[in-house]
Amino acid sequence: MKLLVLSCQWCQCKSSRTLALPLDWSLAELHAALQIAFGWEGEHLYSFTAPDGTTWAEPDDDFWGNFGGGNDLEPEKTTLFDVFSRTKARLDYEYDFGDSNVVRITSKKLVDGDGPACLEASGLMAEEDSAGFGYADGIASILQAGPKDEAYEDLASWLEIDSPKDAKAWVADHTADAAAITAALATVRPAKKKKRSRR
């Protein structure tokens, strides 16, 4: 199977992922992969934007009714091959238009593989609605500073952390793990079981 290697940099953080995904995956499946890779939970809208201004977004009549727009292409009908057929093509993925989490996605190369994989992962996994605490990097620095940081009490309450020791454990538990991400990516499009021939 041909896999496309994508460099994915969360623009507001030091967190990054290198993903190898099947060329026939749709942008909707890329969205699902990015949710897994960075730790979001799909609670908000998303869009993809190409350098030429082409956009893909899930339809939401209420959202576009309030804010105008609605000229986006459908993510389910566009594949990674369609978008990244040019060398080092790029997409910007925005998730949660309030927090505006932006991931810059750049194609690197084609490789042979058995299925989707996370080849490299750095930084923390995300928390929904965390822009007020400075996204993942802000959360990490506040928790590492402990009670001497003025935002620590509010953040610890929000994350249900009871002590500085628990805060350190939280950071360790939320550090991105490429193997765990790879295992979870298999849920985006489960492999079809081969039929056994009856003899």
Side-chain angles (χ1 to χ4, degrees), residues 1-2 21-27 29 78-81 189:
M1 174 189 302
K2 285 293 183 186
L21 305 177
L23 273 174
D24 66 344
W25 271 23
S26 69
L27 290 185
E29 289 169 313
T78 304
T79 67
L80 298 185
F81 177 81
R189 187 196 289 179

Side-chain angles (χ1 to χ4, degrees), residues 105-146:
I105 306 164
T106 308
S107 66
K108 293 298 184 185
K109 59 184 177 181
L110 286 174
V111 296
D112 291 315
D114 295 329
C118 179
L119 306 180
E120 296 177 8
S122 67
L124 291 186
M125 300 298 276
E127 281 293 313
E128 295 283 353
D129 306 314
S130 62
F133 292 107
Y135 304 95
D137 291 349
I139 287 176
S141 64
I142 293 167
L143 292 179
Q144 288 163 349

Side-chain angles (χ1 to χ4, degrees), residues 76 93 109 127 131 194:
E76 296 83 1
Y93 168 76
K109 59 184 177 181
E127 281 293 313
K194 293 181 180 178

Side-chain angles (χ1 to χ4, degrees), residues 68-178:
N71 297 317
D72 304 297
L73 302 175
E74 295 179 51
E76 296 83 1
K77 295 183 178 179
T78 304
T79 67
L80 298 185
F81 177 81
D82 296 332
V83 175
F84 292 108
S85 56
R86 293 172 291 129
T87 303
K88 294 189 178 178
R90 190 187 85 217
L91 272 184
D92 284 340
Y93 168 76
E94 183 175 1
Y95 170 67
D96 183 351
F97 301 148
D99 275 8
S100 190
N101 297 286
V102 176
V103 176
R104 171 69 47 90
I105 306 164
T106 308
S107 66
K108 293 298 184 185
K109 59 184 177 181
L110 286 174
V111 296
D112 291 315
D114 295 329
C118 179
L119 306 180
E120 296 177 8
S122 67
L124 291 186
M125 300 298 276
E127 281 293 313
E128 295 283 353
D129 306 314
S130 62
F133 292 107
Y135 304 95
D137 291 349
I139 287 176
S141 64
I142 293 167
L143 292 179
Q144 288 163 349
K148 64 184 179 183
D149 189 300
E150 63 184 29
Y152 176 82
E153 188 176 327
D154 286 342
L155 178 59
S157 174
W158 183 54
L159 296 175
E160 299 179 352
I161 291 171
D162 297 323
S163 69
K165 182 179 178 181
D166 291 343
K168 288 182 181 179
W170 190 96
V171 172
D173 289 345
H174 286 76
T175 297
D177 180 278

Side-chain angles (χ1 to χ4, degrees), residues 42-69:
E43 296 178 0
H44 301 282
L45 297 172
Y46 72 92
S47 68
F48 291 97
T49 304
D52 66 2
T54 303
T55 57
W56 296 262
E58 59 184 337
D60 186 283
D61 294 336
D62 291 337
F63 181 82
W64 293 124
N66 292 332
F67 292 93

